[in-house]
Amino acid sequence: MRRKAGLALGACAALVLAGATGAAAWNVGGTERVGTWHDGPGVARTPVAAEQMQPADAADPAAPPAAQQKPQSPRSAPSAAAEPGETRRPGIPESATATNDGRQRVGELLRVDRLLGYLGKGPRREVFTYPGASYVKLHFNRMAMLPGDYLTVSNPDGTESYRYDAPAVLETGAADKWAMSVTGDTAVLEMHRAAGVPVLDNLLGTLGVDVDRVARGFSRTEQARQPEGQLTPPQQQRTGREESVCGADTSADAVCYRSADPVAYTKSKAIARLLINGTELCTGWRVGPNNRMLTNNHCFTNSSEAYDTEVWFNYQCASCGGYDVFQPTKVWGAKVLSTDHTYDYTLFTVDNFNAVRKFGYLQLDTARPARNQELYVPQHPAGEPTRIAGSLGERAGNCSVADPNYTGYAANSDVAYYCDTEGGSSGSPVLSRATNKVVALHHFGGCPNSGVRGDLLAAKLRSYL
């Protein structure tokens, strides 16, 4: 029987303005996090993936338009009255690129038009609320701020907050910047003004920050309706009935094995949830002790795409079968070092590596996998907090090497197994129970599921690791 997983948020069961180049670091203060704004390398930037960019008012058909909603709690929508310096305009539908096969869709884009202006006193504030959303991510298309001013994007209680400083020199114009997502259904955007900076009123009227898009993470119910996101081998003809949970689903929250299977639980800390282009998901993991991450080539292929990817570590349930998740540590993807379609891998780095070093790393097994070798797979299926398929004991079920010479994109390139995976599991490590090393990089579903052989990847990536 196939389990259709729900997205499990709360349910486990200095800005760079237009014309500026490079990346400006965030400043840290209080609960504010460290990260980086990105200007992608000189390659074509891919559009953010979504079936259809919706107007903000279409987020919840049963809810009133955002401008009519009244605040009810810290998670409420913004009030009807704009605060001083704000301008609100209705959202407009806009088409966008369809989701690529192999990446699980976990959210949608909403087109908005919210301006935080400079006229008036005190911080400017705007609240973006989408009831039930698993995350909220803001995009800025205009930034004109005075030196010394800064923005914060946070959740309502401030436990997750990101600060973005204006550059030292005043710049104005268009921008193309995504903020780091805020976990939960509400993001609070505030502009903070430096004290004692004299500015002419006619200049103030030209300054402001404009949010034109929001990526809203699906609720559990919406996620359950999303189609399977996994690829199947090219030689396997798709029927639309492929399943990647093979038989009864024996995977479980990683934390369920903290005592019963501590090695698997510890190894699962090295994997990360990749939020790609704001609305799509794969899994990635640290390979080796240096700043190296591995995922699939079909997840992304170049540094520009890596720059638009959030890498979430420690997105795990806090208790077995509970409803709380750990607050993830989020960093940006950085540089793609190597990628290959045939072996379906992308090796990349992350910004602020020191923030995630503590979660440990995995190693590729240089030995060729053997038939019946027992396996386990830590992963983020369908966007859920970390789950493990093939845990120690009876729950391991059929998670073992079924065919060590399986054909993927090339003859004998893959290892086949019946470990349970789902859309979003692409890029997960498949580990040997005997060695606790990675024997395959998962990429295909369809029962059997399969991954590129770890020994082949170890040989290809030796100079990078």
Side-chain angles (χ1 to χ4, degrees):
M1 178 179 179
R2 176 179 175 150
R3 171 180 60 89
K4 186 62 179 177
L7 194 65
L9 168 70
C12 300
L15 289 178
V16 181
L17 302 181
T21 59
W26 303 346
N27 284 346
V28 184
T31 59
E32 291 155 8
R33 299 300 185 86
V34 176
T36 306
W37 282 97
H38 287 58
D39 276 325
V43 294
R45 294 174 66 83
T46 58
V48 176
E51 295 292 343
Q52 174 80 17
M53 190 180 293
Q54 301 290 341
D57 295 347
D60 183 353
Q68 298 176 12
Q69 294 180 9
K70 297 181 180 181
Q72 299 174 351
S73 71
R75 288 184 174 272
S76 63
S79 61
E83 297 190 26
E86 294 180 326
T87 301
R88 293 194 186 175
R89 296 180 288 275
I92 303 172
E94 183 174 314
S95 61
T97 302
T99 303
N100 293 333
D101 282 345
R103 298 195 300 227
Q104 183 68 30
R105 192 172 175 213
V106 293
E108 67 173 344
L109 289 182
L110 306 175
R111 188 174 179 190
V112 300
D113 199 352
R114 307 272 187 90
L115 173 65
L116 272 66
Y118 261 67
L119 295 176
K121 296 181 179 180
R124 309 300 184 265
R125 188 172 188 268
E126 180 66 283
V127 181
F128 299 80
T129 293
Y130 305 95
S134 56
Y135 63 85
V136 179
K137 183 176 175 69
L138 307 183
H139 181 268
F140 301 89
N141 71 336
R142 177 174 175 266
M143 299 174 184
M145 300 170 62
L146 293 173
D149 295 353
Y150 65 94
L151 298 177
T152 55
V153 182
S154 61
N155 61 359
D157 61 11
T159 55
E160 184 180 11
S161 182
Y162 305 95
R163 170 171 166 164
Y164 305 92
D165 286 306
V169 178
L170 175 63
E171 298 181 39
T172 62
D176 180 13
K177 304 293 180 188
W178 282 102
M180 188 70 81
S181 66
V182 172
T183 310
D185 65 5
T186 300
V188 180
L189 171 65
E190 290 189 274
M191 181 186 293
H192 303 263
R193 298 283 307 279
V197 179
V199 183
L200 296 175
D201 285 346
N202 60 347
L203 175 60
L204 288 177
T206 68
L207 300 178
V209 174
D210 206 341
V211 178
D212 68 328
R213 283 177 282 170
V214 174
R216 177 191 70 89
F218 289 140
S219 67
R220 295 184 66 214
T221 300
E222 292 170 314
Q223 190 64 54
R225 294 196 295 260
Q226 293 304 305
E228 176 66 54
Q230 290 197 96
L231 296 177
T232 53
Q235 70 276 10
Q236 178 175 317
Q237 186 174 2
R238 290 193 67 89
T239 66
R241 300 177 61 188
E242 289 81 9
E243 294 187 356
S244 299
V245 172
C246 307
D249 184 7
T250 57
S251 68
D253 300 332
V255 71
C256 297
Y257 303 103
R258 184 163 46 191
S259 298
D261 197 354
V263 173
Y265 175 70
T266 299
K267 295 296 184 182
S268 75
K269 291 284 188 178
I271 77 164
R273 185 183 196 263
L274 305 183
L275 182 60
I276 302 166
N277 285 331
T279 61
E280 296 175 343
L281 180 74
C282 280
T283 299
W285 46 282
R286 277 192 62 201
V287 53
N290 300 316
N291 184 0
R292 301 290 185 269
M293 296 286 301
L294 200 59
T295 190
N296 288 144
N297 170 274
H298 74 252
C299 294
F300 61 83
T301 62
N302 58 58
S303 295
S304 180
E305 293 174 306
Y307 268 56
D308 284 333
T309 297
E310 296 184 18
V311 183
W312 297 17
F313 279 88
N314 203 37
Y315 187 60
Q316 298 204 3
C317 294
S319 61
C320 183
Y323 287 85
D324 295 324
V325 294
F326 291 116
Q327 183 166 289
T329 298
K330 301 177 185 179
V331 295
W332 290 105
K335 183 179 181 180
V336 168
L337 303 176
S338 180
T339 189
D340 187 280
H341 171 72
T342 300
Y343 295 98
D344 202 7
Y345 75 81
T346 292
L347 184 74
F348 67 104
T349 64
V350 297
D351 276 347
N352 195 21
F353 174 60
N354 285 336
V356 300
R357 188 193 297 266
K358 62 187 176 184
F359 297 112
Y361 61 89
L362 305 176
Q363 293 178 298
L364 290 164
D365 199 329
T366 57
R368 186 166 183 169
R371 189 178 298 274
N372 298 323
Q373 187 173 359
E374 293 187 348
L375 308 170
Y376 63 100
V377 187
Q379 58 190 290
H380 287 286
E384 289 190 332
T386 308
R387 296 179 69 86
I388 300 175
S391 296
L392 189 61
E394 292 182 1
R395 290 181 180 270
N398 55 8
C399 192
S400 61
V401 175
D403 184 352
N405 300 299
Y406 196 69
T407 295
Y409 285 126
N412 303 322
S413 63
D414 280 23
V415 178
Y417 39 81
Y418 289 88
C419 310
D420 296 323
T421 62
E422 295 189 54
S425 300
S426 289
S428 298
V430 181
L431 290 90
S432 164
R433 174 63 60 190
T435 66
N436 293 298
K437 292 183 178 181
V438 179
V439 299
L441 176 65
H442 175 73
H443 67 152
F444 288 148
C447 294
N449 308 323
S450 73
V452 180
R453 285 167 39 195
D455 60 315
L456 297 178
L457 295 176
K460 291 183 70 68
L461 297 175
R462 184 177 296 114
S463 63
Y464 295 98
L465 302 179

